[in-house]
Amino acid sequence: MWSGVGKLKCWVNRLLGDVGVVFYLSIFLIVAFLTVAAVDPDETQRLAQKALNATTSNFGWLYLLTSSGFVLFTLGLAFSRFGIIRLGLDDEPPEFSFSSWLAMIFSGGMGVGLVFWGVAEPILHLSSPPLGIGAPGSVEAAQTGMRYAFFHWGLHQWANFTVVGLAIAYVRFRHNSRGLISETFRPLLGDRVDGGWGNAIDILAVLSTIFGVATTLGLGALQINSGLSRLSGMPYGITPQLLIIAGLGSLFILSAMTPLNRGIRYLSNANMVLAAGLLLFVLMLGPTAFIFSELTQTMGEYVGNIIQMSLVTTPYSSAHWVQEWTIFYWAWGLSWAPFVGSFIARISQGRTIREFVLGVMIVPVLLSMLWFSTFGGSAIYFELFENAGIAAAVAQEVPAGLYAMLDQLPGGFYAAIVAVLLVSMFVVTSADSATFVLGMFTSKGVLNPTRFVRILWGVLQLLMAGVLLLSGGLLGLRTISIVTAFPFMLLMVLMAYSLYRDLSLEWQRRQKNDNLLHERIESMLLRESEREAARQAEENAHPSAPEPTEDADVGEAVEHEEGEKIGN
């Protein structure tokens, strides 16, 4: 009997690997939520909406201040003295090439969101102008909407990922610690991160991650369903969306069974090729001159108005535009931060802090601006100048805007097929990356969690996305993102402080070692110079100079004593 129990225990250990309390408690809490939400999705949505109203009404300003603070913090680190510190050994080369690194960042980041909102957001702003600026359907509303699209997908969004990614990469590759969120708090909590405090932090990171990724899976399912509805006549509704999630789930679970340097890497590179192809298609066959003119103007307006847009809260109005858009985006980014940040940290070994920040923030932001100018700008052009009916399509079905815009181009039917394929691949890549990160979080930070653990998290992601769709569709996805991101946002503030403290301590140690080395070198050089001076003095002594005698030495001593007496 005991032999059978021992074999079972060994089999479970091989299946799960080195998991602990974070794994079991996270599974318990997620399964409990799934059960309650599946039994009564309407009540789940009602409670989530109530929590959302309380959060945005009382703490909406905190989302804005925190996200803006992260932008200043990360850029400040990049251009400070800390920017030269390498995330690894001082002479360690990067693990991945620069192009593959950027592709994985972009694919594991917000690829699905860009495709979903690339047309939908500018068109929705055109129909319902941000903060009531301009009349609906006017040129002013169009330009304001594009400016806010740039803002929502600009520096603030990627700063969230940068803070978490940089903190984890620093402790993982610089201090050779475990790749856990809790490890970034060691400068503040000390050994307490190895106990209950650390477990609580990691569990919160797991919950935030799975809700954030489920939101993205849900958006991807909506976008794919809309495309297939236009291409093949598939009905648009919850049942097809659940089937799409199940189909995509089987694909990313297969991908999750491959090593990181093959599965996710190859998928990410393929995503970038498809995305670049679709982008060039619209750029060349769409209103090219309008796109570049709009890109130039909106980029200038974004830079010129970024401070004002960052801190708008509308305290004198009952309008909820900021809560529905800006705070949703910041909360969505915050809920994604543990996942995207951890994944980016995992692939960034060997990069300097300056290279990490600029690569994670500047390059994706520029690509996002080009994407919105191409797709959103084309949609606005066709809507304003050719009455294409894109706004009506979005009003009826939000993700339909992309396909309505592609219909205006020659070969739009085939471009729509590419778009559906691209969204599908982005979903698979994001979910695959998330299974990897969730496995790390719940396996004590190991870089390669077992396949079973990754597959288990993949299944739970699918179930979570399905439950959120049942609990309100797009509105439910938005609501749960904002509510679940709040506690992790507070943790990220402490994480940023902990990272700065850790970097300061390392810099002090580096300066101390440099000063000690400098003193030793000076000492060695000084002794050598003294020996050289003595040697030269001996060589320069005149050969006829008399040798000092003992009487002379005594005379000098007597003269010295008499001089001292006189002085006294």
Side-chain angles (χ1 to χ4, degrees):
M1 175 180 177
W2 294 111
S3 176
V5 172
K7 290 181 179 179
L8 178 62
K9 187 175 181 180
C10 289
W11 179 76
V12 171
N13 288 337
R14 285 198 304 269
L15 202 63
L16 298 179
D18 188 16
V19 298
V21 64
V22 174
F23 175 83
Y24 294 110
L25 276 178
S26 299
I27 294 291
F28 172 77
L29 292 173
I30 291 168
V31 170
F33 176 84
L34 289 173
T35 303
V36 172
V39 171
D40 195 348
D42 294 335
E43 180 65 14
T44 302
Q45 172 61 18
R46 188 188 68 79
L47 293 175
Q49 186 64 42
K50 187 176 180 180
L52 171 66
N53 294 336
T55 302
T56 55
S57 299
N58 296 307
F59 300 106
W61 57 271
L62 189 56
Y63 283 95
L64 302 180
L65 283 179
T66 301
S67 296
S68 300
F70 289 154
V71 174
L72 298 176
F73 175 74
T74 51
L75 292 177
L77 287 183
F79 294 104
S80 72
R81 58 188 179 180
F82 304 133
I84 62 174
I85 295 176
R86 190 171 295 277
L87 303 174
L89 302 177
D90 287 336
D91 57 349
E92 187 171 11
E95 182 179 3
F96 298 100
S97 68
F98 189 72
S99 58
S100 292
W101 181 59
L102 288 179
M104 286 190 282
I105 289 173
F106 204 68
S107 298
M110 305 298 287
V112 174
L114 283 174
V115 178
F116 186 91
W117 294 109
V119 170
E121 181 174 352
I123 291 296
L124 285 171
H125 293 334
L126 175 67
S127 302
S128 180
L131 304 171
I133 300 175
S138 66
V139 172
E140 186 180 11
Q143 190 58 46
T144 304
M146 285 300 300
R147 185 172 75 241
Y148 268 96
F150 275 36
F151 173 61
H152 291 150
W153 294 87
L155 296 174
H156 289 68
Q157 192 67 269
W158 288 91
N160 296 323
F161 308 150
T162 305
V163 169
V164 177
L166 188 57
I168 293 178
Y170 178 76
V171 300
R172 177 66 187 89
F173 300 121
R174 193 69 181 174
H175 296 327
N176 200 27
S177 300
R178 298 173 299 170
L180 295 173
I181 298 291
S182 57
E183 280 295 325
T184 65
F185 290 85
R186 192 171 291 276
L188 296 181
L189 299 178
D191 293 339
R192 284 175 290 181
V193 300
D194 300 319
W197 283 100
N199 291 336
I201 291 171
D202 290 329
I203 290 172
L204 184 57
V206 170
L207 297 178
S208 179
T209 298
I210 199 163
F211 280 111
V213 175
T215 299
T216 299
L217 293 180
L219 293 178
L222 295 175
Q223 187 72 65
I224 294 169
N225 187 193
S226 179
L228 293 178
S229 176
R230 298 178 72 91
L231 294 171
S232 64
M234 172 188 289
Y236 183 84
I238 187 65
T239 300
Q241 290 158 14
L242 294 177
L243 293 176
I244 289 169
I245 288 178
L248 293 175
S250 62
L251 293 178
F252 77 71
I253 287 174
L254 287 175
S255 176
M257 299 175 68
T258 62
L260 176 66
N261 61 356
R262 286 190 297 189
I264 298 177
R265 180 184 178 184
Y266 293 154
L267 274 175
S268 299
N269 290 335
N271 287 344
M272 293 303 290
V273 171
L274 268 183
L278 188 61
L279 181 72
L280 289 174
F281 171 81
V282 178
L283 194 60
M284 300 304 295
L285 298 181
T288 307
F290 177 86
I291 290 171
F292 283 109
S293 295
E294 187 275 327
L295 170 63
T296 304
Q297 178 172 329
T298 309
M299 190 179 296
E301 291 187 1
Y302 168 68
V303 174
N305 294 276
I306 186 171
I307 296 177
Q308 182 265 338
M309 291 189 294
S310 300
L311 304 176
V312 170
T313 58
T314 61
Y316 303 109
S317 171
S318 60
H320 298 288
W321 188 91
V322 174
Q323 288 83 353
E324 293 173 355
W325 285 99
T326 303
I327 293 178
F328 159 68
Y329 272 122
W330 293 177
W332 186 21
L334 289 165
S335 66
W336 262 60
F339 151 54
V340 179
S342 299
F343 179 71
I344 294 174
R346 172 63 184 86
I347 62 176
S348 299
Q349 185 174 4
R351 306 280 173 186
T352 64
I353 288 179
R354 182 170 297 128
E355 185 180 12
F356 182 96
V357 172
L358 296 181
V360 176
M361 286 186 65
I362 304 302
V363 175
V365 168
L366 293 176
L367 290 175
S368 298
M369 289 179 175
L370 179 60
W371 186 275
F372 269 93
S373 296
T374 302
F375 288 85
S378 297
I380 287 176
Y381 176 87
F382 291 131
E383 185 67 16
L384 288 180
F385 303 114
E386 298 184 7
N387 297 318
I390 299 175
V394 171
Q396 182 177 359
E397 185 182 303
V398 173
L402 172 63
Y403 308 107
M405 186 276 292
L406 293 176
D407 285 344
Q408 311 305 312
L409 304 175
F413 176 84
Y414 301 102
I417 296 175
V418 174
V420 171
L421 181 60
L422 177 62
V423 176
S424 302
M425 293 179 63
F426 269 138
V427 169
V428 171
T429 308
S430 298
D432 188 3
S433 305
T435 61
F436 194 94
V437 171
L438 288 167
M440 288 172 54
F441 285 170
T442 54
S443 300
K444 300 182 180 180
V446 298
L447 292 181
N448 294 294
T450 65
R451 289 181 177 177
F452 179 81
V453 168
R454 295 175 65 184
I455 292 172
L456 176 61
W457 283 115
V459 172
L460 289 175
Q461 286 180 89
L462 295 174
L463 294 175
M464 184 65 72
V467 163
L468 293 182
L469 285 174
L470 287 170
S471 301
L474 180 58
L475 180 60
L477 296 173
R478 282 187 170 191
T479 301
I480 204 68
S481 293
I482 298 175
V483 173
T484 56
F486 182 74
F488 193 76
M489 175 183 65
L490 302 179
L491 278 183
M492 283 179 60
V493 174
L494 296 176
M495 184 188 300
Y497 173 70
S498 181
L499 173 61
Y500 179 79
R501 185 173 175 179
D502 213 357
L503 288 170
S504 299
L505 290 174
E506 175 174 343
W507 192 263
Q508 291 175 9
R509 290 192 297 267
R510 174 179 291 199
Q511 291 294 102
K512 184 177 179 180
N513 292 336
D514 289 345
N515 292 337
L516 181 60
L517 179 61
H518 183 68
E519 290 176 1
R520 289 179 176 177
I521 293 175
E522 280 190 340
S523 177
M524 293 174 61
L525 293 175
L526 183 60
R527 287 197 295 269
E528 179 64 29
S529 64
E530 290 175 341
R531 287 194 293 269
E532 180 65 20
R535 186 183 63 80
Q536 289 181 359
E538 184 178 354
E539 290 178 352
N540 294 333
H542 197 275
S544 63
E547 293 290 336
T549 63
E550 183 177 351
D551 292 338
D553 293 339
V554 173
E556 289 177 2
V558 171
E559 290 178 0
H560 180 69
E561 290 181 3
E562 290 179 353
E564 288 185 346
K565 290 179 180 179
I566 293 173
N568 295 330

